[in-house]
Amino acid sequence: MISSLQLKNFVAFTDLAIEFSPGINIIIGENGTGKTQLLKAILALCGPEVRAEQPGEQLASKLCRLYQPLSGRVGELRRNGSRGEAVLRAEFAQGQQLTVRFNGSASAVKIPKVLGPAIAPATFLPTKEVLSLVRGLTAEQPDFATIERIFDDGYLDLANQLTREGTEDLGSKVRLNPRFASIVPRLANLIGGQYLLVKGRFVFQPGQYQENKAPTRTSEANNALMYQDSTEWRFIPASKKCLSSTMTAEGFRKIGVLQRLLSNGCLNPGASGPLLWDEPESNLNPKLMKDLVLALLELARNGQQVILATHDYVLLKWFDLLLDKKGKGDQVRFHVLSREAETGQVLLDTMDDYRAIEPNAIAETFNELTKEQVARKMGGLGK
């Protein structure tokens, strides 16, 4: 879990310092204010490269594969026109502190040894879905030169996580662990089925989870014994026939990514690193937003830090309406990025109340649309 991040003279940022909630963090901002760049910085700083034998070279290479500078050198990621070194500084929940520095001509970064326990790797979900791309991105004899020209490392990291084998199947986790029983059935029933990895490619199995009366629990179900639930969830296939993932909606595939990561343990609330999601609303029907927000809130309630970037009013408003600050201790923090007109510097404003966002360009745009619609219906009445 990341506690704070400072970016100085790095890509879009002159000097930005951000304090993260351990729960859900929502980054808002117009195009070009650096939302995706911020998520990628967190991904890099949580990666294994910081503890490699040659961390300066390894992390520089990682940053280049994520941001793809034209020169292929990390020095190009120092903000244009800035003086002094680029600095990335992060603090983590278990006390780890990490500082990365480099100048404008650097091919490697300067990074001191990181003390303390290992930093849990982050999971990054890019704007486009990845399930249908996994077969090509993880082929036995891939053309890496071509793949890396098309996809940055955010896509490749996620493809490798999705194909990772888990120690338990998702059905067992749902039956035995109330954390998963509160999340997975909602996701599966939202899209009408589940995605399975079969021979290196993802297929979709139609069906739904049903809540049935549970048999007497045995001692192996330690987590469930704590709760003594009287019911349990089981996935009931609608048919034996599966579909290729590419025959399902892209919005469904994005939700399927969460299913798979929960299944194989790459996403393990309470233990895994932050979940970074860039525009979860992309290609997602607005009708699905409420259930997606409920699933993300459940993830956070079970110890999963979530950091997402969005432009979507519906998604933002559902977070505002559904969070429960008192009963369940929901912690949702809004981080608003804006660009100063005169200097071009990216500024940050942080608040824990959605209604405190001022100005709120997303809400104002939605209100303008509503007013225009009302005006057309009313015609010239009142003029």
Side-chain angles (χ1 to χ4, degrees):
M1 184 181 296
I2 186 169
S3 301
S4 65
L5 175 69
Q6 181 184 21
L7 301 173
K8 187 174 182 180
N9 297 332
F10 179 70
V11 288
F13 307 105
T14 303
D15 194 355
L16 184 90
I18 183 168
E19 300 284 335
F20 294 104
S21 162
I24 292 178
N25 298 267
I26 302 175
I27 302 170
I28 309 167
E30 297 181 7
N31 290 332
T33 52
K35 298 184 298 299
T36 302
Q37 293 178 353
L38 192 153
L39 295 180
K40 288 182 176 181
I42 298 171
L43 178 63
L45 296 177
C46 291
E49 291 79 9
V50 300
R51 291 181 182 268
E53 289 188 8
Q54 297 178 311
E57 296 178 6
Q58 293 292 321
L59 184 55
S61 178
K62 181 67 174 182
L63 288 168
C64 288
R65 296 197 304 273
L66 282 170
Y67 292 92
Q68 298 184 329
L70 294 177
S71 66
R73 298 169 67 90
V74 71
E76 191 179 334
L77 300 180
R78 189 185 69 164
R79 179 171 167 78
N80 287 336
S82 62
R83 294 183 178 181
E85 294 180 311
V87 180
L88 296 82
R89 183 177 291 114
E91 294 186 2
F92 299 87
Q94 291 183 296
Q96 306 97 324
Q97 295 184 347
L98 174 64
T99 300
V100 177
R101 301 176 181 272
F102 60 88
N103 59 38
S105 60
S107 57
V109 302
K110 293 177 284 186
I111 171 174
K113 183 177 181 181
V114 183
L115 301 177
I119 299 170
T123 297
F124 176 68
L125 277 57
T127 303
K128 296 184 181 296
E129 65 84 23
V130 177
L131 277 186
S132 62
L133 305 176
V134 164
R135 194 180 184 191
L137 295 177
T138 60
E140 291 183 3
Q141 295 181 326
D143 183 351
F144 275 121
T146 300
I147 288 175
E148 290 180 349
R149 287 189 182 101
I150 301 173
F151 300 101
D152 65 53
D153 241 29
Y155 287 88
L156 299 179
D157 284 353
L158 180 56
N160 288 325
Q161 287 179 310
L162 290 170
T163 56
R164 192 172 302 166
E165 294 295 335
T167 57
E168 298 179 79
D169 67 273
L170 189 55
S172 296
K173 288 185 175 181
V174 171
R175 289 193 298 273
L176 302 179
N177 194 325
R179 290 185 303 155
F180 292 93
S182 66
I183 301 168
V184 174
R186 182 183 300 279
L187 294 175
N189 294 347
L190 183 62
I191 62 178
Q194 62 181 358
Y195 288 89
L196 305 173
L197 184 63
V198 179
K199 296 181 180 180
R201 68 186 298 176
F202 280 96
V203 300
F204 181 74
Q205 182 181 37
Q208 64 178 355
Y209 273 90
Q210 293 182 2
E211 192 174 14
N212 301 312
K213 186 175 181 179
T216 303
R217 300 191 186 276
T218 62
S219 59
E220 67 179 356
N222 292 326
N223 291 317
L225 279 171
M226 296 170 58
Y227 294 80
Q228 291 294 322
D229 293 336
S230 60
T231 60
E232 68 179 15
W233 291 94
R234 286 186 180 273
F235 183 79
I236 309 299
S239 71
K240 295 182 179 179
K241 186 178 180 180
C242 293
L243 301 173
S244 167
S245 63
T246 55
M247 296 178 66
T248 62
E250 184 171 346
F252 284 6
R253 282 177 254 155
K254 295 186 75 172
I255 293 174
V257 166
L258 285 183
Q259 286 182 331
R260 177 60 183 175
L261 295 173
L262 287 165
S263 176
N264 67 9
C266 287
L267 202 59
N268 185 15
S272 53
L275 171 63
L276 313 170
W277 200 343
D278 196 5
E279 297 185 20
E281 71 273 9
S282 177
N283 291 312
L284 198 67
N285 191 313
K287 291 175 65 175
L288 305 179
M289 293 292 189
K290 179 180 179 180
D291 282 287
L292 177 60
V293 168
L294 286 170
L296 291 172
L297 286 169
E298 279 299 320
L299 280 171
R301 288 164 187 164
N302 284 285
Q304 179 61 56
Q305 186 181 39
V306 178
I307 305 174
L308 60 87
T310 184
H311 292 284
D312 192 79
Y313 174 79
V314 177
L315 187 75
L316 285 168
K317 196 59 185 176
W318 275 125
F319 272 112
D320 178 42
L321 294 172
L322 295 175
L323 66 89
D324 184 349
K325 291 184 177 180
K326 295 181 179 179
K328 297 180 181 178
D330 291 335
Q331 301 180 66
V332 178
R333 184 168 295 172
F334 301 91
H335 308 278
V336 183
L337 300 178
S338 61
R339 191 176 291 277
E340 192 176 59
E342 295 183 1
T343 65
Q345 182 175 346
V346 174
L347 306 176
L348 172 71
D349 195 11
T350 295
M351 63 283 299
D352 293 331
D353 186 348
Y354 171 79
R355 288 162 290 185
I357 300 176
E358 183 64 39
N360 188 335
I362 296 175
E364 289 171 0
T365 301
F366 183 84
N367 291 336
E368 287 177 12
L369 181 64
T370 303
K371 290 178 181 178
E372 180 65 23
Q373 184 178 20
V374 171
R376 290 198 177 196
K377 285 186 176 181
M378 298 290 289
L381 188 63
K383 290 186 178 180

